[in-house]
Amino acid sequence: MAHKINRLTALAIKNAKPGRHGDGGNLYLLVKDDGRKTWTFRYRAPLTGKVRDKGMGPAWDVSLPEARERAAEFRRMLRDGIDPIDSANEIKQKARTEHAKRMTFGRCSELYIEAHRSGWRNAKHAEQWDSTLRTYCAPLWPLDVAAVDTALVMKCLDPIWTTKTETASRLRGRIESVLAWATVRKYRSGDNPAAWRNHLDQLLPKRSKVQKVEHRAALPYVGIAEFMAQLRQRQGLAARVLELQILTATRPGEASGARWEEIDLDGTLWIIPEERMKAGKEHRVPLSDAAVALLRSMIPKTKGKPVTPHGYIFPGNKGKAITTAAGMGLLKEMRPGITAHGFRSTFRDWAAETTQHPREVIEAAMAHRLKDAAEAAYQRGDLLQRRKRLMADWAGYCATIRKGDNVTPIKRKEG
């Protein structure tokens, strides 16, 4: 049988006339009338028995030894019952499917944010996700999400892990979430290269080892009464929203976004809905007499008569609430270096160091969750009645300037 294969030579190929010239072993040189020469593999399909020709490329590109090597591979496939043409088509189809499924990390990030947007507290949270991922994941953004590996994740985290630890930690978690989403959607497979435990924790120092704890600058509580007196002399919404924030020990965003629908002046109660709270849980705020008086002064009037208020208590531009930047700008003018959020620390220090109000009451007033799981399990209420007394005491303290307020008081003895 050896004389039936390898019959063509380089010279024979060069001088071949139009027609089909067999080399043996199902390999043919096809010469067309215009002189073009191509290789074909002629065989009978394993399933149908029909004669089929599989093109193998032009003779100028595919050498005779290469054509013979390919023909030998096709003969091996036929012995195994595999149709060379069908097999090639399946490979192409698989490649098309993989290409169609290809998704960049950036697009996965966008789709993840869109899928979870409705479950987040507010639009700002989604904006923060988008901004963080776009800013720090620029190397990943245009890449196929399936190609993202540990080295690429580290390329995003390494530059900021020790300088912007809080941001880097959040970024890692967000990358992990996007990659997990992509895995479930079948855009990638394998382990998550952004996972922390038993993975990145072996490459990066613990956050607690490198993060510098920077507390928000707060006004000492001995100076709060003097500050409040000065604040009440100021005109404008910025001064009033800052005053309400201080009297209620709430966060800047909670105060600036307050709506009349949340306020019960007769019941001296402010109910902040869960979607506006950091912990995602409704928070009831007892209003002191000073806070009620402040809010009543904010009720709009028509022809000198109060009207039923609705919407934002502190309206800003374009139908939105006043921004927290307004209060910060005023505070920067009155007390440079002090932050609006720091007034919560002022309240916390005053309550802990100068009053007998229990810690759990103080924590509840600040909408903090108790870290002790057992303690939290027994405390099912929000201690509203006890917090009313606490906030009344705080309002009284904020309104009374005392001699020697530059001296830090010592907590009085119990009993």
Side-chain angles (χ1 to χ4, degrees):
M1 300 294 292
H3 65 282
K4 292 186 177 182
I5 62 173
N6 300 340
R7 286 183 287 183
L8 295 175
T9 63
L11 182 61
I13 294 171
K14 180 180 179 181
N15 298 326
K17 303 297 182 182
R20 189 184 300 275
H21 306 271
D23 183 59
N26 304 80
L27 177 62
Y28 292 89
L29 176 69
L30 179 63
V31 183
K32 297 187 177 181
D33 292 338
D34 60 4
R36 287 181 297 161
K37 302 171 183 178
T38 61
W39 296 107
T40 62
F41 182 80
R42 172 164 285 193
Y43 66 98
R44 288 189 179 276
L47 293 179
T48 65
K50 292 182 178 180
V51 176
R52 306 185 78 178
D53 286 323
K54 176 170 176 54
M56 300 170 62
W60 62 263
D61 187 45
V62 180
S63 66
L64 177 59
E66 185 179 356
R68 287 170 176 169
E69 182 180 346
R70 291 186 182 181
E73 175 61 26
F74 293 153
R75 290 194 296 272
R76 285 191 290 269
M77 293 174 67
L78 289 170
R79 287 198 299 270
D80 293 334
I82 301 173
D83 189 308
I85 292 178
D86 289 346
S87 177
N89 289 339
E90 288 176 5
I91 293 173
K92 288 180 181 178
Q93 184 58 42
K94 184 177 180 180
R96 291 192 191 99
T97 301
E98 290 299 321
H99 181 74
K101 288 170 57 179
R102 182 181 181 275
M103 189 77 72
T104 64
F105 176 85
R107 184 54 181 157
C108 285
S109 297
E110 293 170 344
L111 292 174
Y112 177 91
I113 292 171
E114 193 60 36
H116 291 79
R117 186 185 299 273
S118 60
W120 287 333
R121 293 190 303 275
N122 50 53
K124 185 177 180 181
H125 193 64
E127 292 171 3
Q128 290 171 339
W129 266 72
D130 186 73
S131 176
T132 302
L133 290 169
R134 287 183 185 275
T135 301
Y136 298 105
C137 293
L140 308 185
W141 205 259
L143 299 182
D144 184 345
V145 71
V148 176
D149 57 13
T150 302
L152 288 170
V153 173
M154 289 293 292
K155 191 173 183 179
C156 299
L157 299 178
D158 260 337
I160 61 172
W161 190 257
T162 57
T163 58
K164 300 179 179 179
T165 309
E166 179 67 25
T167 299
S169 180
R170 291 180 182 177
L171 175 64
R172 185 210 61 78
R174 290 170 182 175
I175 295 174
E176 182 180 15
S177 294
V178 171
L179 295 180
W181 178 90
T183 300
V184 174
R185 295 300 295 265
K186 306 299 182 184
Y187 295 130
R188 61 173 287 119
S189 60
D191 295 334
N192 194 319
W196 177 254
R197 183 171 296 181
N198 297 323
H199 188 58
L200 292 185
D201 60 349
Q202 305 301 310
L203 301 176
L204 294 167
K206 289 183 179 180
R207 174 177 157 186
S208 59
K209 299 294 184 182
V210 296
Q211 184 175 21
K212 295 180 180 179
V213 179
E214 296 183 1
H215 298 289
R216 292 182 173 91
L219 182 71
Y221 59 81
V222 293
I224 191 64
E226 179 184 358
F227 175 81
M228 287 292 277
Q230 296 172 358
L231 181 64
R232 284 165 175 157
Q233 297 300 313
R234 296 282 183 140
Q235 301 297 315
L237 292 182
R240 301 293 75 78
V241 72
L242 194 57
E243 184 180 352
L244 178 66
Q245 180 203 326
I246 294 171
L247 288 172
T248 55
T250 51
R251 298 177 178 86
E254 294 160 5
S256 63
R259 300 180 65 89
W260 286 112
E261 294 83 357
E262 301 170 359
I263 304 294
D264 178 4
L265 289 176
D266 293 332
T268 64
L269 188 65
W270 173 19
I271 301 178
I272 308 177
E274 60 183 30
E275 60 267 21
R276 294 211 306 111
M277 292 300 299
K278 181 178 181 180
K281 182 181 179 181
E282 179 184 277
H283 181 46
R284 298 197 299 170
V285 182
L287 298 173
S288 63
D289 291 344
V292 169
L294 166 63
L295 290 168
R296 288 193 183 281
S297 72
M298 298 300 298
I299 296 177
K301 297 179 180 179
T302 300
K303 296 181 179 180
K305 294 182 179 181
V307 298
T308 302
H310 65 277
Y312 291 115
I313 299 175
F314 308 100
N317 296 324
K318 299 180 180 180
K320 296 183 179 180
I322 190 173
T323 66
T324 56
M328 283 298 298
L330 176 61
L331 188 56
K332 185 177 182 181
E333 179 184 338
M334 295 179 65
R335 291 290 193 281
I338 300 300
T339 67
H341 197 285
F343 285 114
R344 284 168 57 82
S345 295
T346 303
F347 167 78
R348 182 68 178 80
D349 292 344
W350 164 81
E353 296 179 16
T354 71
T355 79
Q356 299 301 317
H357 291 285
R359 181 181 66 87
E360 62 270 20
V361 174
I362 300 170
E363 294 299 306
M366 301 183 71
H368 283 167
R369 290 182 175 179
L370 294 174
K371 295 181 179 180
D372 188 301
E375 185 178 3
Y378 283 104
Q379 184 187 305
R380 301 191 179 184
D382 62 359
L383 306 173
L384 182 64
Q385 296 304 318
R386 300 174 75 178
R387 288 194 287 120
K388 283 185 177 181
R389 294 190 291 273
L390 170 64
M391 302 316 293
D393 287 350
W394 171 240
Y397 185 84
C398 289
T400 307
I401 298 178
R402 300 166 178 79
K403 291 183 179 180
D405 267 358
N406 60 336
V407 179
T408 302
I410 299 175
K411 185 175 180 181
R412 62 179 179 269
K413 295 182 181 179
E414 297 182 6

